Amino acid sequence: MTVKQINTLLFDFDGTLLDTNELIIQTFLSVLGEHYPGRFGREDALHFIGPSLEQTFTAIDPERVEELTVQYRTLNRIMHDELVEEYDGVAETLRLLKAQGLKMAIVSTKRSETIRHGLDLMGVGDVFDVLVGLDHVSNPKPDPEPLHLALEQLGASHDEALMIGDNSHDIEGGKNAGVRTAGVAWTAKGEDFLASFNPDFMLQHISDLLELTKEAAK
């Protein structure tokens, strides 16, 4: 059976295209430090990168999910531009991929408004054909719903798509949706952690995608 060449790229956003790790950690530590002093440290906050806020806060305190989410989003917005950084080569590589005619979407557990702000900050707001945020789905990754929605809106097929992300949710979501997966070695949780979920590829640099999408699949 011939494996089809990749012509569709589904990107996670946080920790994959934009380095929001420090922003996320600082926001969590500030909010949780106020309500649960001394209970959470940086190592704990690392585990909160990836899941939706609802998933994280439900696990911490099911009675206060809405309150904690509102506080987190407010603080996160205030600190956003000061604490985020673009990963090396991302904007340039995204433009080259777009020029190759690839179909491209963002599939994130973040709300679309915040993703758009981040993309504009990076100067790539016009690169993506489709954006699927938390506000567009009932079930976030690792459920396949957001990936199915992105593929449907792109008019793309599962066997030609690749899900790229920095977290277990991205790899599991990709597998659940029946698409190939790529982990990013610059994940805050470490390459070994991500490799344990058996992605089809591991990107050492975002530009690896240029070669990956040119190659006829083996």
Side-chain angles (χ1 to χ4, degrees):
M1 184 177 124
T2 310
V3 180
K4 289 198 178 175
Q5 191 169 350
I6 295 161
N7 68 15
T8 303
L9 300 175
L10 309 177
F11 289 92
D12 175 52
F13 185 65
D14 286 325
T16 299
L17 299 181
L18 188 64
D19 186 353
T20 53
N21 293 322
E22 194 56 33
L23 170 68
I24 293 168
I25 289 168
Q26 294 291 346
T27 310
F28 271 120
L29 290 179
S30 180
V31 172
L32 297 174
E34 180 186 325
H35 297 283
Y36 316 96
R39 186 173 147 194
F40 298 96
R42 280 187 72 88
E43 202 55 41
D44 302 299
L46 266 181
H47 295 292
F48 305 150
I49 296 174
S52 68
L53 292 176
E54 184 182 5
Q55 288 167 328
T56 295
F57 288 135
T58 298
I60 291 171
D61 193 339
E63 301 297 312
R64 304 178 74 179
V65 173
E66 192 174 345
E67 176 196 351
L68 294 170
T69 299
V70 168
Q71 189 177 347
Y72 177 98
R73 284 189 173 137
T74 303
L75 186 57
N76 191 273
R77 199 157 35 238
I78 292 166
M79 301 197 298
H80 186 282
D81 294 5
E82 186 189 335
L83 289 178
V84 299
E85 283 184 79
E86 181 193 319
Y87 289 111
D88 182 60
V90 166
E92 179 190 0
T93 301
L94 290 175
R95 293 211 169 277
L96 289 169
L97 291 165
K98 179 79 170 173
Q100 282 183 25
L102 290 154
K103 298 174 183 177
M104 292 160 62
I106 297 280
V107 181
S108 172
T109 53
K110 202 172 197 172
R111 290 194 306 176
S112 54
E113 174 198 357
T114 320
I115 300 165
R116 281 197 192 91
H117 178 72
L119 289 172
D120 289 343
L121 205 60
M122 295 164 66
V124 291
D126 59 331
V127 165
F128 293 93
D129 309 301
V130 165
L131 196 160
V132 176
L134 185 65
D135 42 324
H136 297 137
V137 296
S138 304
N139 305 291
K141 295 175 295 188
D143 191 279
E145 182 191 344
L147 286 89
H148 289 321
L149 180 60
L151 291 170
E152 185 186 325
Q153 291 183 356
L154 287 168
S157 65
H158 295 73
D159 55 359
E160 295 173 332
L162 179 71
M163 176 72 214
I164 303 127
D166 69 314
N167 213 307
S168 57
H169 285 60
D170 304 309
I171 309 306
E172 291 174 332
K175 289 179 186 294
N176 291 338
V179 305
R180 280 170 279 179
T181 57
V184 299
W186 54 93
T187 169
K189 295 184 179 181
E191 184 178 347
D192 289 348
F193 167 80
L194 208 49
S196 71
F197 293 90
N198 300 310
D200 297 292
F201 308 98
M202 184 65 75
L203 308 179
Q204 298 300 319
H205 189 271
I206 190 75
S207 59
D208 291 351
L209 285 170
L210 296 168
E211 204 52 47
L212 201 55
T213 51
K214 272 182 195 166
E215 279 183 17
K218 307 231 174 7

